[in-house]
Amino acid sequence: MEYVVEVHNLTKGYKEIKAVDGVNFKVKKGEIFGFLGPNGAGKTTTVRMLTGIIKPDSGKAYILGYNIQKEPLKAKEHLGVVPETSNAYVDLSAWQNLILTADLYGVPKKDAEKRADDLLKEFDLYERKNDKVKGFSKGMKQRLILAMALINDPQLLFLDEPTSGLDVQSSILIRQMLLQLREKGKTILLTTHNLEEANKLCERIAIINKGKIAAIDTPENLKKMIKKLNTIEITFDGSIDVQELSDFPEIQEIRKTGDKFILNTDNVNNLIYAVTEYAKSKDIKIVALNTLTPSLEEVFIELTRRG
Ligand SMILES: Nc1ncnc2c1ncn2[C@@H]1O[C@H](COP(=O)(O)OP(=O)(O)O)[C@@H](O)[C@H]1O
Ligand SMILES: [Mg+2]
């Protein structure tokens, strides 16, 4: 099967709010698929529908080929979830939480104990296995929750903002673990409002805003979508009249910081020709020239503004 998740026109409303409004996307086997959007975009609602916590109003979704409405148990069998809010019991130990989760997923006791041990070691929690979760740091707790999500050795993992509110070190650790899981062939759907995280981890990103998907593509292609935001930074060794530069048809926007001009253009090539010609004609040297492609942040702002 090529697609591990297939979503068709999925919709969920709360009174007058359309939390998820006709969403379509497919997640390929073995990829880290990012669901990127601001707070309130509908990310959690989507994850909750796909993991069987809430029911869609309309639309269809398939998890590993199983229809989530018709075969919810089959669909759930091979997935793991790291929910937005912790599902660990704070009055139980790390070990007890893992065994309890294994039980919920129907993992046989012997397998469960072996897996719990392995996961605790892998997630650097083994020394604390019998301590109550109450005393855990946020990072330790999040590692435990990820371990719980993996107790049934799922093929597909949903993570809802797994690094939100974590310290830098814990975030890095979680991200490394996700990359390792991908190496092992797991498929991951990750929601985040962190652009850098999506950029670093994801093969493809869906940008979601106000319940609708604005774009789905690789981070690189998303950045190319907004051509006009290409930028040239240029420094001359003589004085340049900003007024003269702003008459260039290739320049959309012009800013100056220190002795550096920052020019926005939709045609990098023509602009470089034009400014080079211009400098030559004035007998002024170009001391630095940099081209910058738009950041994912700019793409995100542009796409969510349009929506
Ligand atoms: N149980 C609920 N009751 C009412 N409104 C909800 C509920 N869950 C989510 N919403 C609303 O749906 C929208 C999407 O929320 P959510 O899916 O949590 O967004 P995100 O995870 O992207 O921040 C928001 O406007 C939110 O207030
Ligand atoms: Mg959320």
Side-chain angles (χ1 to χ4, degrees), residues 37-45 47-48 84-85 160-161 191-193:
N39 286 336
K43 303 182 296 294
T44 297
T45 306
V47 169
R48 289 166 71 94
E84 186 170 51
T85 35
D160 196 358
E161 311 233 17
T191 84
T192 183
H193 63 258

Side-chain angles (χ1 to χ4, degrees), residues 145-206:
I145 292 163
L146 184 51
M148 286 160 62
L150 293 169
I151 195 81
N152 60 336
D153 196 18
Q155 296 177 46
L156 168 65
L157 197 59
F158 287 91
L159 299 109
D160 196 358
E161 311 233 17
T163 61
S164 175
L166 291 190
D167 60 290
V168 176
Q169 252 168 338
S170 302
S171 301
I172 291 172
L173 195 80
I174 298 266
R175 287 183 199 133
Q176 280 171 346
M177 283 168 171
L178 297 184
L179 292 172
Q180 280 168 20
L181 287 166
R182 181 181 58 191
E183 297 279 290
K184 290 182 192 159
K186 308 283 186 200
T187 306
I188 296 170
L189 189 151
L190 164 93
T191 84
T192 183
H193 63 258
N194 182 328
L195 289 147
E196 247 344 278
E197 178 162 286
N199 194 25
K200 273 189 200 140
L201 285 181
C202 301
E203 261 80 43
R204 291 190 305 138
I205 297 171

Side-chain angles (χ1 to χ4, degrees), residues 255-271:
R255 269 181 300 142
K256 197 173 179 219
T257 58
D259 58 355
K260 183 163 72 184
F261 290 91
I262 300 158
L263 314 172
N264 286 107
T265 181
D266 56 8
N267 194 326
V268 174
N269 179 64
N270 287 4
L271 180 57

Side-chain angles (χ1 to χ4, degrees), residues 24 27 56 58 93 95 99 102 159 181 198 227 247 252 266 307:
N24 292 284
V27 180
S58 61
S93 68
W95 175 260
I99 298 301
L159 299 109
L181 287 166
K227 276 205 187 128
D247 289 340
Q252 245 120 47
D266 56 8

